[in-house]
Amino acid sequence: QVQLVESGGGLVEAGGSLRLSCAASGSIFSITVMGWYRQAPGKQRELVAKITGGGSTNYADSVKGRFAISRDNAKNTVYLQMNGLKPEDTAVYYCNANLYDRLDFYMNLWGKGTLVTVSS
């Protein structure tokens, strides 16, 4: 069974930093795109950042210059370094991965989410 497990959320003051991690485990053949999404109370889930296996990245305008996404392909892990956090960054952050398992089945997986709370 393939799954994503996130870690690193928590409570931080405005201007602070957090680093989120998401590890994919199970019978994985390859992972194409990995990304982070977030959902604030009463709002729709939105893309924060994503990264391809080759390292190409894409960011939401609201986090450009503050957040950095990276991945370790050997560990099937994606990271989100969040600096200069603002109260409006408060949300549940979800990891997402597009991957093929060892039976060549394509999957689009979501983690369970990790809460990030930024106090003003």
Side-chain angles (χ1 to χ4, degrees), residues 31-34 50-57 71-73 98:
I31 304 176
T32 54
V33 180
M34 300 187 81
K50 58 183 179 181
I51 184 169
T52 68
S56 296
T57 58
R71 64 189 278 179
D72 184 331
N73 292 328
N98 297 291

Side-chain angles (χ1 to χ4, degrees), residues 13-120:
E13 292 185 350
S17 299
L18 282 174
R19 189 191 194 211
L20 305 183
S21 299
C22 171
S25 63
S27 182
I28 298 169
F29 176 70
S30 67
I31 304 176
T32 54
V33 180
M34 300 187 81
W36 290 96
Y37 291 72
R38 67 186 181 187
Q39 187 166 18
K43 295 188 177 181
Q44 290 187 329
R45 191 173 297 188
E46 62 176 1
L47 172 69
V48 176
K50 58 183 179 181
I51 184 169
T52 68
S56 296
T57 58
N58 187 28
Y59 293 92
D61 288 342
S62 59
V63 306
K64 284 180 180 177
R66 299 188 298 123
F67 291 10
I69 190 170
S70 61
R71 64 189 278 179
D72 184 331
N73 292 328
K75 296 182 179 179
N76 290 331
T77 299
V78 64
Y79 307 95
L80 185 69
Q81 178 66 43
M82 303 185 294
N83 300 324
L85 282 161
K86 304 175 180 179
E88 52 263 43
D89 294 318
T90 295
V92 178
Y93 284 70
Y94 296 92
C95 178
N96 176 263
N98 297 291
L99 60 90
Y100 290 88
D101 70 5
R102 295 191 182 278
L103 297 177
D104 204 28
F105 286 117
Y106 169 78
M107 299 181 184
N108 179 270
L109 286 184
W110 292 91
K112 294 182 178 180
T114 184
L115 178 62
V116 172
T117 303
V118 184
S119 63
S120 57

